[in-house]
Amino acid sequence: MPNTTVTTPGFWDDAEVIHAYTAADAVADGDLVALDDKLVKSHRILVPVLMTRAAYADAVDWTRGDDEGQSITGRAHDVLSIITFMGIAKRAADTNEKVPFELHRIPDKTPSGQPSRSTTALRTRLQINIEGYDMTGMPCFIISMPGED
């Protein structure tokens, strides 16, 4: 007997998309921050890595100068190292769920938004998931604070 596959039309098959807001749109609007593509690829990640504005401000942004051994590039490297070496990015891609992880970093700002003078590393909680980057279906990783969509 021949092997035949029967497909039923889906409810949305003929639907017209009237509006879509992609991760690429959010980067263009400044709602998401794209980590440097060259740095991302140096960690063997083949898709864009984006961070919400809040996650970027907490884990990567650095305004206190380079004299303290901190920099935006170094802090972004720390985030990328954690998600690759710990297998967190792979878990997010495999499960298609938000995967939590922790990072230790020196805070750039106080909780009230003032410049911090702290030199003590504090723990911050983040999460990563895989999403569609644009209308072509290209994926990307999005790193956010817990509770952010």
Side-chain angles (χ1 to χ4, degrees):
M1 186 188 266
N3 185 5
T4 58
T5 304
V6 177
T7 57
T8 7
F11 180 78
W12 298 107
D13 286 351
D14 295 330
E16 179 184 345
V17 176
I18 56 172
H19 179 71
Y21 188 71
T22 65
D25 295 329
V27 169
D29 290 345
D31 295 327
L32 292 175
V33 179
L35 296 185
D36 179 72
D37 190 49
K38 187 176 178 181
L39 184 62
V40 169
K41 286 182 177 165
S42 76
H43 286 80
R44 298 185 177 166
I45 300 173
L46 303 177
V47 299
V49 176
L50 314 174
M51 296 183 79
T52 62
R53 182 72 43 205
Y56 183 85
D58 192 47
V60 176
D61 201 20
W62 187 254
T63 59
R64 291 167 50 180
D66 291 339
D67 59 336
E68 297 179 47
Q70 298 284 311
S71 69
I72 289 174
T73 301
R75 290 162 69 95
H77 166 76
D78 293 346
V79 171
L80 293 168
S81 294
I82 293 287
I83 66 170
T84 54
F85 296 146
M86 301 292 291
I88 294 165
K90 182 174 178 355
R91 226 174 337 155
D94 289 348
T95 63
N96 208 18
E97 295 177 3
K98 292 181 180 178
V99 177
F101 66 99
E102 292 184 351
L103 174 76
H104 287 82
R105 52 60 183 143
I106 295 172
D108 185 47
K109 303 225 182 305
T110 65
S112 66
Q114 298 300 314
S116 172
R117 294 184 167 269
S118 175
T119 56
T120 304
L122 301 175
R123 181 176 59 187
T124 189
R125 290 186 171 99
L126 300 168
Q127 61 189 16
I128 184 172
N129 64 305
I130 195 155
E131 299 272 337
Y133 180 70
D134 56 21
M135 293 302 286
T136 68
M138 182 175 111
C140 68
F141 285 110
I142 298 179
I143 298 172
S144 59
M145 304 295 285
E148 281 189 307
D149 281 333

